[in-house]
């Protein structure tokens, strides 16, 4: 299907991790389809690895790559940041503003609404990527962020949820979407479905992800310590990633006497990191639809993961293999089982990979999001085909069922 060219601007606070992977793939596909694409993100976030990925994306961005100071938490500085972003976005004459994460979503919806008041016909699209939906609605911080999300819902034309779980979390914590909404799974490239082989002398375990408690690296380290207490020797392990709590995890490794067993790395490409160890461990406490799970499954690597967010949707009928989040005892047991029976882990990795390519593809992700833009703006594709709309009620009902099943486990 050919598409009518649009001017699309993506905005995200932190250009790192899975959220940036999603934007990078989407922007690349949209540019290849003939759209003019731009990206706005924070100027202070990101390692050398992340900045290199940004620079590789820059030539594909006809509307440019712009970086401004953006704070993670709500602060008075958000007012000056919003003004700076407004001046930049105003001159781009965008057809679509697509915000990713809570901060990116807030900026584009506020600015898009002001531009609409000045007569510019612009679509305001928001993808939470977890974000404020991770907050507990029974705590003050959660109540504040969820109230702001409800207000922002009035300024939203389109919502993209990366999993059924995320859609149900939005409905449960924020309310029924006022805007057109679609559940669009993150996608992988065809070459990512080639298996990754590891050498015989590889370490036992690999943690790969952001170094923050939400992702569970502390649980990973504690499980290694538990195995050492039981067996007298800790398994060899690698920790790949960067984040705000890295020093604390390094100190934890030292305090538990695991320096000889655990090696820290900075950020690495996932398929390169997979070669470091026999089993990947993703002990997250919360997720939306994590790319690292998709990448691990596609590479046919043995995987231990937790039952959070959209991960059960990836595992499908094998979701019973998932570990309860935050349960150090069950995580330790799963890691011990992986050491004892590597052949079983390899077999299960092959089974899990089965139908992934059909559901989680970049082309499908791009098509469903781009046709949502067209639906919002009321424009037909260049070949005259009518975009297929999502049955929001059906999606919400299905999402609520997934949320209820997950919550009851």
């Amino acid at each position: 299907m050919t598409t009518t060219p649009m001017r699309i601007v993506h905005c995200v606070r932190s250009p790192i991790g899975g959220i940036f992977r999603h934007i990078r793939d989407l922007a690349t596909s949209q540019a290849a389809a003939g759209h003019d694409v731009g990206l706005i993100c924070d100027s202070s976030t990101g390692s050398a690895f992340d900045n290199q990925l940004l620079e590789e994306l820059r030539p594909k961005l006809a509307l440019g790559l712009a970086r401004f100071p953006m704070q993670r938490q709500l602060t008075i500085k958000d007012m000056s940041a919003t003004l700076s972003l407004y001046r930049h976005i105003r001159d781009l004459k965008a057809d679509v503003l697509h915000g990713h994460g809570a901060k990116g979503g807030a900026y584009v919806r506020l600015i898009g609404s002001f531009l609409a008041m000045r007569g510019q016909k612009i679509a305001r699209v928001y993808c939470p990527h977890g974000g404020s939906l991770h907050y507990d609605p029974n705590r003050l911080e959660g109540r504040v962020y969820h109230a702001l999300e409800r207000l922002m819902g009035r300024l939203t034309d389109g919502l993209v949820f990366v999993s059924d779980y995320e859609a149900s979390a939005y409905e449960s914590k924020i309310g029924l979407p006022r805007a057109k909404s679609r559940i669009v799974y993150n996608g992988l490239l065809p070459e990512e479905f080639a298996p990754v082989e590891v050498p015989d002398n590889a370490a036992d375990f690999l943690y790969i992800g952001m170094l923050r408690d939400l992702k569970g690296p502390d649980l990973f380290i504690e499980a290694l310590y538990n195995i050492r207490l039981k067996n007298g020797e800790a398994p060899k392990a690698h920790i790949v990633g960067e984040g705000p709590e890295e020093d604390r995890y390094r100190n934890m490794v030292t305090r538990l006497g695991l320096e000889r067993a655990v090696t820290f790395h900075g950020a690495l490409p996932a398929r390169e990191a997979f070669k470091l160890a026999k089993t990947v461990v993703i002990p997250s406490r919360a997720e939306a639809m994590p790319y690292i799970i998709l990448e691990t499954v596609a590479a046919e690597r043995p995987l231990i993961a937790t039952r959070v967010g959209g991960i059960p949707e990836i595992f499908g009928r094998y979701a019973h293999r998932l570990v309860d989040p935050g349960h150090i005892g069950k995580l330790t047991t799963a890691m011990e089982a992986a050491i004892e029976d590597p052949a079983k882990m390899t077999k299960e990795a092959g089974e899990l990979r089965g139908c992934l390519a059909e559901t989680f593809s970049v082309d499908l992700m791009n098509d469903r999001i781009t046709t949502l833009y067209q639906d919002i703006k009321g424009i037909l594709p260049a070949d005259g085909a009518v975009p297929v709309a999502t049955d929001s009620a059906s999606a919400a009902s299905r999402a609520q069922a997934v949320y209820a099943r997950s919550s009851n486990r």
Side-chain angles (χ1 to χ4, degrees), residues 229-391:
L229 289 180
K230 182 176 180 179
N231 299 337
E233 184 177 357
K236 298 295 182 184
H238 293 276
I239 294 179
V240 171
E242 299 170 332
E245 315 222 32
E246 179 175 347
D247 288 343
R248 185 162 66 83
Y249 301 136
R250 286 182 177 271
N251 291 336
M252 184 178 180
V253 166
T254 300
R255 177 168 51 82
L256 297 177
L258 298 173
E259 306 100 310
R260 295 177 60 186
V262 178
T263 303
F264 282 84
H265 303 260
L268 293 173
R271 291 177 68 84
E272 182 179 330
F274 292 154
K275 298 175 184 178
L276 297 173
K278 297 169 185 174
T279 300
V280 179
V281 182
I282 308 296
S284 300
R285 291 180 169 93
E287 289 287 358
M289 177 58 73
Y291 265 101
I292 190 58
I293 297 289
L294 295 174
E295 291 168 316
T296 304
V297 173
E300 209 168 318
R301 296 310 311 144
L303 171 65
I304 296 169
T306 47
R307 187 181 293 105
V308 292
I311 296 178
E313 297 165 51
I314 301 173
F315 272 64
R317 67 179 183 274
Y318 301 112
H320 63 278
R321 298 175 182 171
L322 294 168
V323 177
D324 292 341
H327 199 301
I328 186 61
K330 292 185 178 181
L331 178 63
T332 302
T333 299
M335 291 170 65
E336 288 175 324
I339 294 173
E340 292 168 5
D341 196 348
K344 180 182 177 183
M345 295 295 294
T346 299
K347 176 177 176 292
E348 290 182 348
E351 293 171 343
L352 188 57
R353 183 173 173 270
C355 60
L356 197 67
E358 193 172 304
T359 305
F360 300 92
S361 82
V362 168
D363 288 343
L364 181 59
M365 178 181 78
N366 173 54
D367 181 67
R368 287 183 56 73
I369 291 176
T370 302
T371 54
L372 174 63
Y373 298 164
Q374 294 170 327
D375 192 16
I376 293 168
K377 293 188 69 64
I379 58 177
L380 291 176
D383 59 8
V386 178
V388 179
T390 296
D391 181 346

Side-chain angles (χ1 to χ4, degrees), residues 37 113 123 141 408:
V37 183
S113 298
E141 195 173 27
N408 290 333

Side-chain angles (χ1 to χ4, degrees), residues 15-17 20 24 46-56 242 266-270 272:
I16 62 176
F20 180 53
R24 195 170 77 245
S47 64
F49 176 79
D50 301 313
N51 290 329
Q52 179 183 340
L53 293 176
L54 273 170
E55 290 307 312
E56 289 173 359
E242 299 170 332
L268 293 173
E272 182 179 330

